Each structure stands twice: as structure tokens, then as C-alpha cells.
Amino acid sequence: MGAIVSKSSGRLILFYFVAFFGLIVVVNSIFIYFALQTHSGVVTENPYEKGIAYNDVLDKAKTQPQLEHVVSYESGVLRWALPIEDADVRVSIVRPVQDGYDFDTKLEHIGGGIYETKLDLPLLGQWDAKLSAKWGE
């Protein structure tokens, strides 16, 4: 013996079924609208031309001289010996295990291509130093 389903409960189930999928279509339509209106997807202008020219950038990088440099850290002094004079040398000190203590500072040229700065690290432990030098252009 099967259960008897009335016509009104069958229509109610059909209404819920159609309403559910109608809601899905409406929500997806809203997502598609905002996705198309908020960002065009263009990250750079003329990407094809820049991609073709990238081999030239790699060739120029290969022709640059290999600079010998030495980095040392002793008694709270960070020293970087470079074969260039009068560069703008900076260091970004990062504490990888704890936020809030990172800082940037400039290394002073003391002569002979040697740049140094005294670091007063607020905590003991591991620190990362990201060095950068800009010389001329």
C-alpha cells in the first residue's frame, strides 16, 4: 500500500523545488554581475608586447657584471661590503616569528665600499635582513 499524496501537497513540493532553483539562479546572477562590474581583469597594459620583450630583459640581466659582496653581523653591527661607492643602501629587518617588530634602516657608507649600521634588536632570536642597494639609476 503506497502513501497517498494530495494534489495540494504535490503542488507545494513543486513550488519549493522551483523556488530553490530560482534562488540559486538569482544569487549566481548577482555574483556574475558584481564580478563583471568590479574588475576588468587587466593587470598590465600591452601584456603581449611586454611578454615578447621579456627576453630582452633577461639578456640585459645576463650581461650585468657579477658583483662580489660580503655581509657580516658582529657585536650588533651589520656590515655589507660592496664593490661600489656612494650607493643608497638599506636594510629591512624582519622578525619572522612575531609581528610588530619589523623595521627599516639605512646603512652608512664608511669608505672603501663598506656600508654598516648598528642594529638595536628589541628581542633575542631569529631575524631576517633583506638588503638592497641602489646606485645611480
Side-chain angles (χ1 to χ4, degrees):
M1 300 255 180
I4 299 176
V5 177
S6 68
K7 285 186 176 185
S8 63
S9 66
R11 286 187 181 143
L12 187 61
I13 291 172
L14 177 63
F15 171 74
Y16 286 143
F17 187 76
V18 170
F20 173 76
F21 283 105
L23 180 66
I24 297 293
V25 168
V26 168
V27 170
N28 284 341
S29 298
I30 292 170
F31 286 157
I32 290 170
Y33 171 78
F34 282 115
L36 294 174
Q37 296 301 319
T38 56
H39 185 54
S40 65
V42 175
V43 176
T44 184
E45 298 297 325
N46 304 317
Y48 179 75
E49 290 80 7
K50 287 182 180 178
I52 295 296
Y54 188 64
N55 286 336
D56 295 334
V57 172
L58 293 177
D59 290 338
K60 287 179 184 176
K62 288 178 186 174
T63 61
Q64 291 201 3
Q66 294 297 321
L67 300 177
E68 296 293 325
H69 63 94
V70 178
V71 178
S72 64
Y73 179 73
E74 294 176 13
S75 302
V77 176
L78 178 67
R79 182 173 290 127
W80 192 12
L82 292 171
I84 55 177
E85 302 277 335
D86 300 322
D88 181 26
V89 179
R90 298 188 175 275
V91 62
S92 177
I93 304 295
V94 178
R95 184 163 174 86
V97 297
Q98 190 173 8
D99 289 336
Y101 292 99
D102 303 348
F103 63 94
D104 298 334
T105 188
K106 183 176 180 173
L107 279 75
E108 298 298 326
H109 185 236
I110 61 170
I114 297 174
Y115 301 84
E116 71 179 21
T117 187
K118 175 98 169 105
L119 295 178
D120 293 320
L121 301 175
L123 298 172
L124 296 176
Q126 180 179 350
W127 292 84
D128 292 338
K130 298 176 183 179
L131 294 155
S132 66
K134 183 176 180 182
W135 180 59
E137 294 298 319

